[in-house]
Amino acid sequence: MFISQNFEMDSFSQNPEFTIHSFFTFLDTTIMAVEFEGGVVIGADSRTTTGAYIANRVTDKLTPIHERIFCCRSGSAADTQAIADAVTYQLGFHSIELDEAPLVQTAASLFREMCYRYREELMAGIIVAGWDPRRGGQVYTVPVGGMMTRQPVSVGGSGSSYIYGYVDSNYRAGMSKEECLKFTAEALTLAMERDGSSGGVVRLAVISEQGVERQVILGNQLPKFSTV
Amino acid sequence: MATVSVCQYHRGGFSFENCKRNALLEADINKLGFSSPAARKTGTTICGVVYKDGVVLGADTRATEGMVVADKNCSKIHYISPNVYCCGAGTAADTEMTTQIISSNLELHSLSTGRLPRVATANRMLKQMLFRYQGYIGAALVLGGVDSTGPQLYSIYPHGSTDKLPYVTMGSGSLAAMAVFEDRYRPNMEEEEAKRLVRDAIAAGIFNDLGSGSNIDLCVITKGKVDYLRPHDVANKKGVRTGNYRYKHGTTGVLTKAVTHLNLEVVEESVQTMDTT
């Protein structure tokens, strides 16, 4: 149940010390974030597993870090919750000091600092996305290992492996908010159909200057594809 | 890309080096024929449900030490604060001590804020402590209570992750209990229905899981009132023996009888009164 290996994680997966203990709660997941003109759309599935048992089938993996900055969590549930709590505190403090809304890049940097410094102890793949007045909607990905990079569209989690083709072929720059929502919902649905560690409902959120709009797509309302 | 491991001395924080040593020792002990002492676990069924006016927590009462029942009637619903209780599964000592530590800290916090403590505060304290110990404290908890923000229920795992849900189960019997919940849970139930649901979920764990057994304890928490029902249901009563191994006087014939008196003198007598006020 490793996170997808598209970044330089050879050292991580070949590290002989690393074993999966059977009672970690994992957010082996599908998470996704897309930038559009005026904001970002983020989405995630809702499954948390301990081994083969689904500990929580309605998890909310889209965690608010600040008013208009969210993070999508994948990997170890305990690690990502602890990191998100720490960064929420640090960013809140920083924002009060600055007396203005924090930058999404600042939030992503704080995540990166923690994920890189403690990379041997942590298992966390995080996508930071939000809107700030200076640079608009932004998506930063901080995968396992602690790298940080900005991408217009980013997917993560174990289910992401199955949708790279779909995302690469269907993403166009300059999509509208509705198109992004449909794109995200469909991509997540396809991943959830194929990945055993992803499932439940699709949680979506749109972050823009106006604020945050959240929605849930229940299992029976998911988009239907011909083979599934 | 090869990793270069640098021997770094830990500055502060916890050192888990002894855990590797313990694992090696355990392997060696088995070769010598001895067995390492087993931690007493509460292989358990615990669960909780949010209903209309509050939360209902339930637990079985069996504590096991390996394959032997160490305690037939242990209490798994621990007090955290007047409005917050916590069920514990996993290592018995860990759940007991962790809940006591957080209960103490929460009382101090409550005196400092001047307010009734919140369930979310207890949840934060528990998850931060368990994460700090990286899962070595084997405490899986179901935390429930009612505060100014309403009734809340959290499940807390040994590594420090938590979930806030309307119904949760933990322990070895959690799958059996969750099956009952998934079938019959509805939002905004009445108190009697919620109690019956929790009782049935724990019963499912007791009768279908070897690690759970004996009685069912319930704890009903509402705004301003807590009903700690221990036991709520004695699901496993000890049977009455139908036969008797005692023999009547005269069954064995007495041939001779010799009585020797022991003459004892009282040498010294002193009375110490105990202050029982």
Side-chain angles (χ1 to χ4, degrees):
Chain A
M1 284 204 276
F2 286 89
I3 311 295
S4 60
Q5 285 114 11
N6 54 328
F7 299 105
E8 66 282 349
M9 289 193 283
D10 313 283
S11 56
F12 185 78
S13 53
Q14 280 160 27
N15 185 342
E17 230 85 298
F18 185 82
T19 48
I20 297 215
H21 304 284
S22 50
F23 292 121
F24 268 42
T25 41
F26 269 111
L27 296 175
D28 270 338
T29 300
T30 319
I31 49 175
M32 184 164 162
V34 189
E35 286 176 13
F36 68 93
E37 184 66 50
V40 293
V41 169
I42 55 175
D45 73 305
S46 69
R47 183 171 287 186
T48 316
T49 52
T50 34
Y53 179 65
I54 299 173
N56 187 353
R57 58 181 171 86
V58 287
T59 326
D60 185 7
K61 304 180 190 180
L62 308 174
T63 310
I65 301 296
H66 202 261
E67 217 181 307
R68 285 181 179 73
I69 305 177
F70 270 63
C71 76
C72 311
R73 302 179 291 117
S74 73
S76 157
D79 289 349
T80 53
Q81 281 182 11
I83 297 169
D85 287 345
V87 172
T88 305
Y89 163 75
Q90 291 171 350
L91 199 67
F93 191 85
H94 170 75
S95 164
I96 288 175
E97 283 184 318
L98 239 55
D99 197 22
E100 67 181 43
L103 298 176
V104 186
Q105 188 183 5
T106 314
S109 281
L110 289 170
F111 271 107
R112 182 263 308 274
E113 256 314 291
M114 205 168 284
C115 291
Y116 179 73
R117 187 177 296 265
Y118 298 106
R119 56 182 294 166
E120 302 298 325
E121 285 85 24
L122 293 172
M123 171 119 137
I126 295 175
I127 300 179
V128 185
W131 182 93
D132 64 43
R134 208 185 286 187
R135 293 188 199 133
Q138 299 145 73
V139 170
Y140 294 88
T141 181
V142 182
V144 179
M147 162 186 123
M148 176 184 90
T149 185
R150 181 176 172 184
Q151 291 177 319
V153 61
S154 183
V155 293
S158 57
S160 65
S161 328
Y162 305 102
I163 51 171
Y164 277 107
Y166 180 83
V167 168
D168 287 342
S169 56
N170 287 65
Y171 174 72
R172 291 163 293 112
M175 286 197 286
S176 70
K177 181 179 90 168
E178 285 68 28
E179 285 174 322
C180 283
L181 279 165
K182 183 161 170 296
F183 172 55
T184 310
E186 288 185 348
L188 289 170
T189 306
L190 287 167
M192 281 156 62
E193 287 294 329
R194 287 292 176 181
D195 179 31
S197 314
S198 305
V201 304
V202 168
R203 292 196 189 271
L204 295 167
V206 182
I207 309 170
S208 63
E209 184 175 4
Q210 284 74 42
V212 178
E213 299 161 33
R214 301 203 60 158
Q215 48 177 277
V216 179
I217 306 183
L218 298 179
N220 57 346
Q221 298 159 351
L222 292 171
K224 307 242 182 315
F225 295 94
S226 52
T227 51
V228 297
Chain B
M1 188 167 103
T3 28
V4 180
S5 336
V6 177
C7 181
Q8 257 185 337
Y9 288 107
H10 289 267
R11 285 165 301 161
F14 291 104
S15 164
F16 294 113
E17 279 151 11
N18 279 343
C19 298
K20 274 194 216 153
R21 175 208 71 175
N22 292 348
L24 287 170
L25 278 176
E26 235 167 273
D28 283 339
I29 279 183
N30 284 326
K31 277 191 224 134
L32 290 169
F34 302 106
S35 57
S36 44
R40 187 202 293 190
K41 307 191 99 226
T42 54
T44 298
T45 313
I46 51 174
C47 68
V49 115
V50 174
Y51 74 101
K52 198 175 80 176
D53 305 319
V55 301
V56 180
L57 300 174
D60 73 306
T61 60
R62 174 180 289 183
T64 51
E65 211 164 300
M67 279 285 121
V68 176
V69 176
D71 190 347
K72 285 181 279 194
N73 199 2
C74 77
S75 165
K76 299 185 191 180
I77 306 185
H78 308 284
Y79 167 87
I80 301 275
S81 79
N83 58 326
V84 178
Y85 278 73
C86 185
C87 312
T91 311
D94 287 346
T95 57
E96 189 70 42
M97 295 316 296
T98 305
T99 47
Q100 280 178 359
I101 289 171
I102 263 68
S103 172
S104 295
N105 289 345
L106 205 61
E107 183 168 350
L108 290 169
H109 186 260
S110 160
L111 287 165
S112 166
T113 58
R115 294 174 168 79
L116 199 64
R118 294 193 185 187
V119 192
T121 316
N123 179 51
R124 258 302 151 104
M125 291 175 163
L126 283 163
K127 72 150 46 174
Q128 285 179 348
M129 178 180 167
L130 291 174
F131 184 76
R132 211 177 340 134
Y133 285 89
Q134 287 288 290
Y136 285 99
I137 292 188
L141 311 166
V142 168
L143 177 77
V146 181
D147 59 29
S148 53
T149 34
Q152 282 151 80
L153 190 62
Y154 293 88
S155 64
I156 306 171
Y157 289 83
H159 284 270
S161 61
T162 64
D163 292 306
K164 178 164 181 281
L165 291 165
Y167 55 95
V168 293
T169 64
M170 296 282 249
S172 52
S174 64
L175 268 67
M178 185 52 93
V180 176
F181 274 163
E182 289 284 23
D183 185 30
R184 286 160 45 186
Y185 171 81
R186 291 178 308 110
N188 290 8
M189 286 182 287
E190 294 298 327
E191 179 170 325
E192 279 316 305
E193 193 187 343
K195 279 162 73 173
R196 231 176 310 132
L197 180 61
V198 171
R199 186 248 156 234
D200 288 345
I202 301 291
I206 287 175
F207 293 116
N208 297 91
D209 173 46
L210 297 178
S212 312
S214 297
N215 315 322
I216 300 170
D217 289 350
L218 280 193
C219 186
V220 185
I221 310 172
T222 48
K223 193 176 173 66
K225 186 164 84 91
V226 172
D227 277 327
Y228 194 91
L229 306 160
R230 178 174 153 78
H232 174 253
D233 196 326
V234 183
N236 293 287
K237 232 186 267 235
K238 191 166 181 174
V240 177
R241 278 178 215 237
T242 48
N244 205 342
Y245 279 110
R246 290 199 127 226
Y247 294 97
K248 287 202 296 277
H249 270 292
T251 312
T252 311
V254 178
L255 298 176
T256 47
K257 193 160 127 180
V259 179
T260 315
H261 284 286
L262 284 172
N263 292 315
L264 300 167
E265 292 171 39
V266 177
V267 175
E268 193 193 306
E269 190 180 321
S270 63
V271 177
Q272 254 180 347
T273 45
M274 194 165 78
D275 185 11
T276 51
T277 49

